[in-house]
């Protein structure tokens, strides 16, 4: 999974004498001068540990997929990805402090990797990057958006936004993340989830006859309550979409 692969990279990196590490998804393309911009930004500001790169849709390279990260709303258990589907008109050239960066567009200094050297592999995929970012901030580092560093991203290529496995991992790992980092908001979160978000999602999926996606939601809940982590082992979801 994403977490295991990045842990291997972190372990390899710490055996080197290099000062910086970048996580880059295999469906991403770095644009010219990106690394130079990242090094300049990292070296000019104090206490920055991680920079999230600006990412753009491949078929719309002037439209943000994310302008570098997200802010967490604990009341809803939701990350609000900054700049999503906005046109880049040069309005976001200053770094902003954020809660989380997309795992596949992460630039960090060596001190961060040394202090937070493990990504929680229980998540396997989805929310593993946010969990790691929260631990980075707890270790005293700032996480900010990039000023000029950019990548092109083919969105949602890992599982597909409507696959049963997507719903499974997003559901299970959302509950795990809330338990790990926002437990004091649990009552409000669960009330809103079960009485507002879940009924809406089930209605939409029923109307579009996406019944295996519904199974993904409920199996994700089941595995959370029974503490079944790592890769999904349900044959129903692993079969072809």
């Amino acid at each position: 999974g994403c977490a295991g692969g990045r842990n291997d990279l972190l372990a390899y990196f710490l055996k080197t004498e290099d000062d910086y590490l970048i996580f880059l998804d295999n469906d991403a393309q770095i644009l010219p001068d990106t690394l130079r911009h990242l090094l300049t930004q990292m070296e000019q500001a104090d206490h920055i540990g991680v920079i999230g790169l600006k990412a753009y849709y491949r078929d719309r390279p002037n439209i943000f997929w994310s302008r570098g990260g997200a802010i967490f709303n604990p009341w809803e258990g939701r990350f609000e990805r900054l700049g999503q589907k906005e046109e880049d008109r040069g309005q976001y050239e200053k770094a902003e402090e954020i809660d989380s960066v997309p795992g596949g567009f992460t630039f960090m200094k060596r001190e961060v990797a040394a202090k937070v050297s493990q990504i929680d592999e229980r998540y396997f995929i989805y929310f593993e990057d946010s969990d790691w970012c929260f631990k980075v901030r707890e270790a005293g580092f700032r996480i900010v958006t990039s000023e000029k560093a950019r990548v092109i991203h083919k969105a949602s290529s890992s599982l597909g936004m409507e696959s049963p496995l997507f719903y499974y991992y997003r559901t299970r790992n959302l509950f795990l993340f809330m338990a790990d980092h926002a437990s004091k908001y649990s009552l409000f979160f669960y009330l809103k989830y079960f009485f507002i978000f879940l009924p809406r999602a089930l209605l939409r999926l029923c109307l579009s006859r996406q019944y295996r996606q519904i199974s993904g939601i409920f199996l994700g809940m089941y595995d959370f309550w029974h503490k079944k982590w790592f890769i999904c082992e349900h044959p129903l979801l692993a079969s072809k979409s």
Side-chain angles (χ1 to χ4, degrees), residues 6-123:
R6 288 171 187 153
N7 278 336
D8 290 343
L9 182 56
L10 282 165
Y12 176 82
F13 171 71
L14 290 173
K15 293 177 182 178
T16 72
E17 297 182 357
D18 297 325
D19 294 324
Y20 300 101
L21 173 66
I22 186 170
F23 289 153
L24 191 67
D25 278 352
N26 60 4
D27 61 357
Q29 173 189 352
I30 289 183
L31 295 178
D33 294 325
T34 288
L35 295 179
R36 179 174 62 83
H37 289 315
L38 288 169
L39 289 171
T40 299
Q41 182 178 348
M42 188 73 82
E43 293 170 356
Q44 287 181 345
D46 294 332
H47 307 300
I48 292 179
V50 173
I51 297 174
L53 285 74
K54 293 176 178 175
Y56 302 79
Y57 291 97
R58 182 166 295 175
D59 59 346
R60 293 175 293 168
N62 64 325
I63 303 297
F64 286 114
W65 179 80
S66 167
R67 68 174 195 256
I71 300 297
F72 183 55
N73 180 345
W75 299 99
E76 298 184 4
R78 182 168 61 90
F79 281 91
E80 299 171 2
R81 194 160 67 221
L82 300 180
Q84 187 175 21
K85 296 185 178 179
E86 281 189 55
E87 182 181 0
D88 184 3
R89 302 184 303 277
Q91 69 271 43
Y92 300 118
E93 295 296 317
K94 292 185 178 180
E96 300 176 62
E97 194 124 4
I98 47 177
D99 294 324
S100 178
V101 301
F105 313 115
T106 302
F107 183 72
M108 73 187 77
K109 60 174 56 174
R110 185 179 187 87
E111 292 87 339
V112 171
K115 282 194 175 183
V116 191
S117 59
Q118 285 287 309
I119 298 172
D120 193 336
E121 295 189 30
R122 292 178 301 167
Y123 289 89

